[in-house]
Amino acid sequence: MPASGPRLYCPYCYEGFTEQEIRFRCTGRISRDGRHCDPEIDEVLRSRTGFSGALPPAFAANGRLTSAICPRCGAESTTRVCPACHSQLPVHFGKVRSRLIVLAGAKESGKTVFMTVLVHELMHQLGEQLRSAISGADDSTRHRFASEYEKPLYRESQLLAPTTTAGMRNRVPLVFRFTTAGRGLFGLDGRVGRSWPGRGRPQHTLLSFFDPAGEDLRSQQSVEQNVRYLAAADGIVLLLDPLQMRGARQLAAPGSRLPTPGTTDDDPATVLENITDLVLATGGRKPDELISKPLAIVFSKMDVLRHDLPETSPLRRPPVQAPYFDERDSQEVHTEIQRLLARWEGSRIDQIAQLHYRNYRYFGVSALGETPTHDNRVSARGIRPYRVADPFMWTLAQLGAIPVKRG
Ligand SMILES: Nc1nc2c(ncn2[C@@H]2O[C@H](COP(=O)(O)OP(=O)(O)OP(=O)(O)O)[C@@H](O)[C@H]2O)c(=O)[nH]1
Ligand SMILES: [Mg+2]
Ligand SMILES: [Zn+2]
Ligand SMILES: [Zn+2]
């Protein structure tokens, strides 16, 4: 059978395949004629994800269908798995759009904290604001998010240990189902200058967040493992730590917890350069063409630099609370960061971005809202995020998944 149809990307391993190539996993239940398949270790799944439990076998069938008959035992199965890594695919996979959002950034730039706070916010206040709901798309995401991300940060007030390359498990992205109410419920009228598809009905989007270990992104060589992730990504959120920029570090509020001074590899401009080389390596464009993949360039830990901003800075005002993306507010933040880059000795960042990207935008966020304590715990005042949703909403708006309010 020829492999045809639109290319899909697995939200767990980011390999591409066609719908037809989707495989199934036997249920292991007894079939009508009394046969059944015993669970066994799935070597493909183990080598790709580290999962070493026993499961009934995976088998090939017509992946366009929602069920298939196991050739070994004759039982019907509706469990669809990725042909490349054998992860169980989320229920709506292939039928609803998936958006793969890759987080990138140097070691200690704040990726894990940012992702945890963003998802937590989407589950609570922000979800209400966007009239949306988010939930883990599989058991492993639900379990890992609650126990390894949310619990330490929100219940134990501990900042998370550096993400490591050694542990296989954290190399598997967390996959969420993000559901927004259709147009009718959004209550959008003349305020929003862009048509919005799928009126009235809920819109499902699968979101895959890959939170790499920063130590992976240090050198050109180790970064290459991430080429596949960047190639398949619909959007890239690059976290840069302003405290690794000489000009900004010296402006940090007294008493702020500063990151270990980095080498040139941790310098935000170098990080952007490395990522750009990788995106260029994924190909698909003429040598003189700009990269069109949306790139959100996010400066983290802005709480530490807030005191240095003028009263009128857009990075001091409360963020817009509305179920759409506010283009004007975002442009103002973008311009403000451009101004700050000069002050932080980071103008090179803007040169690299302009030279290579058609669609990039600057953001300033604080996941925690204030500096952690000296022993790296959340302050007694708790987590009070600032503008964490902006890069996410911009990326979704670029991908047509949420409405935009223009100037
Ligand atoms: N002031 C301030 N510090 C932060 C914030 N977010 C993170 N940090 C600090 O930055 C450290 C690193 O954050 P992580 O989210 O673990 O960084 P990471 O990019 O995931 O790091 P790796 O996993 O090593 O790549 C934290 O332990 C905090 O000390 C923030 O919003 N404000
Ligand atoms: Mg991390
Ligand atoms: Zn079977
Ligand atoms: Zn896969």
Side-chain angles (χ1 to χ4, degrees):
M1 269 190 289
S4 60
R7 213 149 173 76
L8 301 169
Y9 289 94
C10 171
Y12 300 96
C13 71
Y14 288 45
E15 293 286 0
F17 47 85
T18 63
E19 191 173 20
Q20 188 157 326
E21 290 170 315
I22 290 175
R23 292 181 163 230
F24 289 82
R25 185 179 299 288
C26 179
T27 57
R29 285 197 284 269
I30 296 170
S31 68
R32 272 197 206 128
D33 54 10
R35 288 179 293 161
H36 83 282
C37 287
D38 283 325
E40 57 195 28
I41 290 172
D42 183 329
E43 287 303 338
V44 175
L45 188 66
R46 179 161 74 176
S47 70
R48 296 300 291 253
T49 69
F51 181 83
S52 58
L55 290 170
F59 60 90
N62 182 356
R64 289 212 193 111
L65 303 177
T66 50
S67 68
I69 302 293
C70 172
R72 277 210 235 166
C73 69
E76 189 184 39
S77 171
T78 56
T79 306
R80 299 184 308 152
V81 301
C82 164
C85 72
H86 290 187
S87 292
Q88 181 174 346
L89 294 167
V91 190
H92 296 294
F93 185 80
K95 312 290 178 206
V96 303
R97 284 208 52 181
S98 324
R99 272 108 179 172
L100 310 183
I101 299 179
V102 169
L103 275 179
K107 205 157 95 333
E108 258 189 283
S109 56
K111 299 177 295 298
T112 302
V113 172
F114 171 76
M115 187 189 75
T116 308
V117 172
L118 173 63
V119 173
H120 180 92
E121 284 290 295
L122 284 169
M123 286 174 168
H124 300 95
Q125 291 90 321
L126 197 60
E128 232 166 84
Q129 178 196 321
L130 295 175
R131 294 172 211 171
S132 67
I134 193 169
S135 57
D138 58 81
D139 286 343
S140 157
T141 295
R142 284 187 286 269
H143 179 76
R144 281 170 60 212
F145 183 73
S147 66
E148 292 168 27
Y149 291 80
E150 206 174 22
K151 183 167 157 253
L153 190 61
Y154 280 88
R155 286 209 243 131
E156 294 156 6
S157 295
Q158 270 169 23
L159 283 141
L160 311 138
T163 310
T164 51
T165 25
M168 220 9 163
R169 263 152 66 81
N170 49 39
R171 307 200 44 87
V172 178
L174 296 168
V175 182
F176 297 92
R177 184 178 297 103
F178 178 67
T179 307
T180 52
R183 181 179 192 154
L185 293 169
F186 256 122
L188 302 177
D189 36 42
R191 289 178 304 155
V192 175
R194 195 196 218 193
S195 66
W196 176 237
R199 55 176 70 196
R201 281 183 292 122
Q203 298 253 316
H204 299 286
T205 306
L206 290 172
L207 295 173
S208 169
F209 289 111
F210 175 51
D211 170 31
E215 56 183 18
D216 275 10
L217 291 142
R218 282 180 72 114
S219 69
Q220 173 67 32
Q221 194 196 359
S222 51
V223 169
E224 260 148 37
Q225 302 155 348
N226 294 312
V227 166
R228 191 176 68 250
Y229 285 85
L230 292 171
D234 295 294
I236 302 167
V237 174
L238 176 63
L239 249 76
L240 298 179
D241 186 349
L243 301 174
Q244 293 292 11
M245 297 165 72
R246 214 170 351 123
R249 196 178 175 103
Q250 66 199 25
L251 295 172
S256 303
R257 190 174 191 279
L258 296 176
T260 344
T263 62
T264 43
D265 278 344
D266 303 301
D267 169 34
T270 310
V271 174
L272 176 59
E273 241 163 12
N274 285 346
I275 283 284
T276 305
D277 284 348
L278 288 174
V279 178
L280 290 172
T282 64
R285 77 192 66 75
K286 298 189 198 83
D288 55 351
E289 237 177 307
L290 295 177
I291 298 164
S292 54
K293 198 165 281 196
L295 173 72
I297 303 176
V298 183
F299 290 90
S300 59
K301 313 182 187 178
M302 282 302 294
D303 49 279
V304 177
L305 294 162
R306 188 173 184 277
H307 67 107
D308 181 56
L309 302 173
E311 260 337 300
T312 53
S313 170
L315 284 171
R316 269 177 175 264
R317 67 182 175 224
V320 179
Q321 292 197 352
Y324 50 78
F325 177 74
D326 194 309
E327 177 65 18
R328 190 204 277 180
D329 172 68
S330 173
Q331 280 287 357
E332 286 173 11
V333 170
H334 178 84
T335 311
E336 172 74 343
I337 298 276
Q338 268 172 330
R339 181 186 73 82
L340 290 168
L341 283 177
R343 189 168 166 73
W344 297 343
E345 299 177 35
S347 301
R348 198 157 73 87
I349 292 176
D350 203 35
Q351 289 159 12
I352 301 166
Q354 279 190 32
L355 206 57
H356 294 286
Y357 296 88
R358 190 192 309 286
N359 199 9
Y360 70 96
R361 180 70 54 93
Y362 295 120
F363 299 88
V365 306
S366 166
L368 298 176
E370 101 180 77
T371 185
T373 59
H374 286 290
D375 53 351
N376 211 16
R377 295 177 62 83
V378 173
S379 115
R381 282 172 288 271
I383 295 171
R384 289 162 300 134
Y386 180 66
R387 287 192 182 270
V388 272
D390 290 10
F392 171 75
M393 290 184 66
W394 177 76
T395 308
L396 285 189
Q398 298 312 298
L399 303 173
I402 59 163
V404 181
K405 182 190 176 204
R406 307 222 172 261

